[in-house]
């Protein structure tokens, strides 16, 4: 029998059983499966199914379809509590990851990727909603930074194990996928049993919400999704295709990312709280413009693998500042809009993701540098949009054009 408890009463529970404790546990569980899948992906698809740039673009297009359909979460939460949906989605992600190596063909890889992606994207949609409902505006930037660091710590352990044991024990793709996905499943089941159902103070609207005053948030989400696809799909693929990185080498690069993230993520949260969303997002986007242009230099100017690896790490750090998008929305939103808007925002974030990977896969075959040049242009557009965020965003002050204008009744 599920136990229901308000957020106020939850503060009387032991710390590990409070809402923040559950957020931390989920932040630890998700990356173990997802990043185990990611760490092996490029090598697995090349060895198992002889993927080229166009194939990897198609794979990631399929992977992003559930993200595009994340708005369907609104219909699901009419019948299923968000907390329950988050944990069920984690189980789906873990199971699909565990059996990935059972399908070493183009069709099989696409099918199992679709299932794992459903778990990942539905979890991320609901998790973002729970974070913004359960955390106060004052503590959100700091705690989101720590949650990012927690996820990086869990992934660090997984990557260390892969790097240390892959060649030493002669591990197979199946073994690593089974262990990584299985751990996530066990953690999700534990969370379902060990935690009560937390009741947020404001009931969520259970229908699609599109508000004119959120237009800048929607635009930033769209550009973020388009820009991030280029990094997720092609930056790691470049390290394998151009420089011949093996599994333990690409994992070592991810490992560096994680160590840096563990150290830097809490500082990123504090930076958002101190400098505000406008300045931190502006800094992120200018940094990404320089990084993507430099990726082009790797191809056209003959810069070596050390430069490419350094850019990859910097790229990852800048993307960490995207937590400012969450806190920006939290400040301008009606409390009841958080769950439906999180779903709508995920769909908007993935509009470009449905067609960009496969189309850019063909562009990659012609000119890899052109792909990164396009990403630099996207980052510059994002910078221009970020400059429209006011220094102190709130309801009725969503953009620099809304200063002193009361929020419309919608």
């Amino acid at each position: 029998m599920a136990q229901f408890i308000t957020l106020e009463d939850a503060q009387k529970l032991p710390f590990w059983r409070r809402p923040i404790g559950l957020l931390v546990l989920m932040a630890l569980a998700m990356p173990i499966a997802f990043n185990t899948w990611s760490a092996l992906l490029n090598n697995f698809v090349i060895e198992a199914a002889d993927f080229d740039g166009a194939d990897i673009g198609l794979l990631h297009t399929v992977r992003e379809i559930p993200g595009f359909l994340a708005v369907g979460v609104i219909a699901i939460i009419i019948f299923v509590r968000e907390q329950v949906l988050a944990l069920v989605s984690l189980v789906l992600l873990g199971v699909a990851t565990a059996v990935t190596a059972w399908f070493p063909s183009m069709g099989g890889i696409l099918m199992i990727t679709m299932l794992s992606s459903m778990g990942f994207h539905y979890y991320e949609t609901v998790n973002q909603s729970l974070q913004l409902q359960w955390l106060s505006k004052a503590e959100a930037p700091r705690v989101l930074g720590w949650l990012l660091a927690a996820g990086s710590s869990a992934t660090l352990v997984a990557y260390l194990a892969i790097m240390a044991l892959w060649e030493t024990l002669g591990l197979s793709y199946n073994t690593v996928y089974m262990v990584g996905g299985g751990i996530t499943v066990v953690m999700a089941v534990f969370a379902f049993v060990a935690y009560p159902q937390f009741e947020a103070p404001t009931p969520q609207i259970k229908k699609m919400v599109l508000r004119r005053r959120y237009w800048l948030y929607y635009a930033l989400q769209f550009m973020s999704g388009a820009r991030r696809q280029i990094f997720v799909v092609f930056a790691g693929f470049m390290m394998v295709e151009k420089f011949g990185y093996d599994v333990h080498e690409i994992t070592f690069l991810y490992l560096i990312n994680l160590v840096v993230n563990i150290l830097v993520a809490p500082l990123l949260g504090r930076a958002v709280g101190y400098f505000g969303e406008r300045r931190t997002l502006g800094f992120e986007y200018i940094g990404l413009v320089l990084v993507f242009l430099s990726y082009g230099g790797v191809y056209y100017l003959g810069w070596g693998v050390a430069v490419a690896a350094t850019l990859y790490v910097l790229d990852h750090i800048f993307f960490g500042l995207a937590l400012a998008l969450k806190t920006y929305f939290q400040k301008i939103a009606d409390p009841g809009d958080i769950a439906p808007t999180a779903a709508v925002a995920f769909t908007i974030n993935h509009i470009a993701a449905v067609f960009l990977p496969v189309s850019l896969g063909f562009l990659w075959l012609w000119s890899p540098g052109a792909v990164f040049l396009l990403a630099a242009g996207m980052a510059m557009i994002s910078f221009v949009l970020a400059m429209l965020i006011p220094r102190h965003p709130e309801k009725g002050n969503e953009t620099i054009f809304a200063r002193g204008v009361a929020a419309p009744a919608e």
Side-chain angles (χ1 to χ4, degrees):
M1 190 70 172
Q3 177 187 5
F4 297 91
I5 187 170
T6 65
L7 295 183
E8 182 179 356
D9 290 339
Q11 300 309 307
K12 302 173 185 177
L13 296 173
F15 183 80
W16 71 271
R17 293 196 72 211
R18 297 176 189 175
I20 289 182
L22 178 55
L23 290 176
V24 171
L25 181 62
M26 293 192 299
L28 293 171
M30 187 281 290
I32 294 176
F34 178 75
N35 287 307
T36 297
W37 177 83
S38 298
L40 304 182
L41 176 67
N42 289 310
N43 296 85
F44 176 66
V45 298
I46 289 174
E47 292 180 21
D50 196 28
F51 272 36
D52 59 18
D55 295 328
I56 197 71
L58 175 61
L59 172 65
H60 282 279
T61 291
V62 170
R63 188 180 73 84
E64 297 300 346
I65 290 174
F68 177 70
L69 299 176
V71 70
V73 167
I74 297 173
I76 297 175
I77 63 175
I78 295 175
F79 309 101
V80 180
R81 293 176 55 82
E82 289 181 83
Q83 184 175 331
V84 173
L85 179 57
L87 297 177
V88 170
S89 298
L90 277 180
V91 171
L92 177 58
L93 170 62
V95 170
T97 299
V99 301
T100 294
W102 297 5
F103 302 92
S105 65
M106 168 69 85
I109 291 171
L110 294 180
M111 177 193 69
I112 205 66
T113 296
M114 174 70 81
L115 292 176
S116 65
S117 180
M118 288 177 61
F120 171 78
H121 284 101
Y122 276 38
Y123 163 76
E124 281 293 310
T125 301
V126 179
N127 184 51
Q128 176 175 309
S129 172
L130 294 177
Q131 288 173 347
L132 299 184
Q133 291 179 64
W134 291 353
L135 301 176
S136 69
K137 294 178 182 179
E139 68 180 348
R142 175 178 54 84
V143 175
L144 290 175
W146 281 109
L147 291 175
L148 184 59
S152 296
S153 300
T155 312
L156 174 62
V157 174
Y159 284 175
L160 281 173
I162 294 173
M163 189 178 66
L165 302 177
W166 179 262
E167 290 189 330
T168 304
L169 300 181
L171 296 178
S172 66
Y173 291 109
N174 185 53
T175 299
V176 178
Y177 279 136
M178 287 288 288
V179 172
I183 291 174
T184 295
V185 171
V186 170
M187 294 177 73
V189 172
F190 171 79
F192 187 82
V193 174
Y195 287 86
Q197 295 289 313
F198 299 114
E199 297 277 8
T202 304
Q204 296 298 293
I205 298 173
K206 293 180 174 62
K207 62 180 181 180
M208 184 180 294
V209 171
L210 283 170
R211 301 200 189 280
R212 289 190 302 273
R213 63 189 184 88
Y214 297 160
W215 73 266
L216 181 56
Y217 175 66
Y218 298 147
L220 286 167
Q221 283 286 1
F222 175 80
M223 293 309 303
S224 175
R227 191 182 62 252
R228 185 168 180 80
Q229 282 309 302
I230 296 178
F231 169 71
V232 170
V233 177
F234 296 105
F237 190 74
M238 174 187 69
M239 303 305 293
V240 176
E241 182 186 65
K242 182 174 178 61
F243 298 109
Y245 265 40
D246 202 351
V247 167
H248 65 283
E249 293 172 320
I250 198 72
T251 303
F252 181 68
L253 182 59
Y254 293 162
L255 185 66
I256 296 173
N257 268 346
L258 290 167
V259 172
V260 172
N261 222 31
I262 291 169
L263 298 175
V264 172
L267 300 179
L268 298 181
R270 291 182 180 275
V272 173
Y274 183 80
F275 293 106
E277 288 78 10
R278 172 185 170 132
R279 293 178 181 176
T280 50
L281 287 173
F283 177 75
E284 174 195 354
Y285 299 144
I286 288 297
L288 289 174
V289 168
L290 298 176
V291 166
F292 283 129
L293 289 176
S294 298
Y295 274 137
V298 171
Y299 275 90
Y300 295 126
L301 302 179
W303 297 348
V305 64
V307 173
T310 300
L311 292 172
Y312 190 90
V313 174
L314 290 174
D315 205 339
H316 198 75
I317 293 173
F318 283 124
F319 273 121
L321 287 169
L323 63 89
L325 267 181
K326 293 183 181 181
T327 59
Y328 167 61
F329 175 67
Q330 186 187 39
K331 291 178 179 179
I332 66 172
D334 287 321
D337 287 351
I338 290 176
T341 305
V344 169
F346 249 77
T347 291
I348 291 173
N349 185 276
H350 287 77
I351 290 175
V354 172
F355 66 85
L356 265 184
V358 66
S359 58
L360 292 184
F362 289 105
L363 179 61
W364 180 271
L365 297 178
W366 175 70
S367 173
V371 173
F372 293 123
L373 181 62
L374 179 62
M378 293 177 180
M380 181 54 68
I381 293 173
S382 297
F383 172 79
V384 173
L385 290 172
M387 293 302 99
L388 302 182
I389 298 175
R391 179 67 181 90
H392 300 288
E394 60 184 355
K395 184 178 178 180
N397 189 34
E398 297 86 3
T399 73
I400 59 174
F401 306 118
R403 289 172 179 161
V405 179
E410 296 186 86

